[in-house]
C-alpha cells in the first residue's frame, strides 16, 4: 500500500534573445522563474520508515553574449 503523496507542480522557464548588432547577440535564460519547490521522485524504505526524494533545481538565470564574424 503506497501512502506517499506527491503534490503537483508547474515550472516556468523563459528565454530571450536580442540581436545587438551584426554578429553580436545577447541571450537571457531563466529556469524555474518562480523558484517552485518541485520533487520529481520519492523512494521509501519500509524497513526504517524514511523516504528519500530528488528535488528540481531552484531558480537559475544565465546571460550570454555571442559574437560571430
Amino acid at each position: 500500500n503506497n501512502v506517499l503523496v506527491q503534490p503537483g507542480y508547474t515550472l516556468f522557464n523563459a528565454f530571450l534573445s536580442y540581436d545587438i548588432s551584426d554578429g553580436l547577440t545577447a541571450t537571457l535564460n531563466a529556469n524555474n522563474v518562480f523558484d517552485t519547490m518541485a520533487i520529481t521522485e520519492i523512494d521509501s524504505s519500509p524497513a526504517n520508515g524514511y523516504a528519500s526524494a530528488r528535488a528540481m533545481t531552484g531558480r537559475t538565470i544565465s546571460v550570454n553574449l555571442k559574437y560571430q564574424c
Side-chain angles (χ1 to χ4, degrees), residues 1-3 6-8 11 15 21 23 25 27 29 34-35 38-39 41 44 49-50 55 57-60 68-69:
N1 188 13
N2 187 0
V3 296
Q6 182 173 334
L11 297 180
F15 179 81
S21 63
T25 303
T27 59
N29 186 46
F34 301 115
D35 203 22
I39 305 294
E41 300 170 6
S44 66
Y50 290 102
T57 303
R59 179 186 307 119
T60 57
Q68 283 187 311
C69 303

Side-chain angles (χ1 to χ4, degrees), residues 5-67:
V5 176
Q6 182 173 334
Y9 59 86
T10 300
L11 297 180
F12 181 77
N13 301 324
F15 179 81
L16 176 68
S17 179
Y18 181 73
D19 291 330
I20 297 171
S21 63
D22 283 343
L24 184 61
T25 303
T27 59
L28 173 68
N29 186 46
N31 292 318
N32 197 358
V33 172
F34 301 115
D35 203 22
T36 303
M37 171 56 120
I39 305 294
T40 60
E41 300 170 6
I42 299 176
D43 295 318
S44 66
S45 175
N48 62 17
Y50 290 102
S52 63
R54 187 169 68 89
M56 297 294 289
T57 303
R59 179 186 307 119
T60 57
I61 298 173
S62 62
V63 176
N64 184 46
L65 287 174
K66 180 180 178 182
Y67 181 73

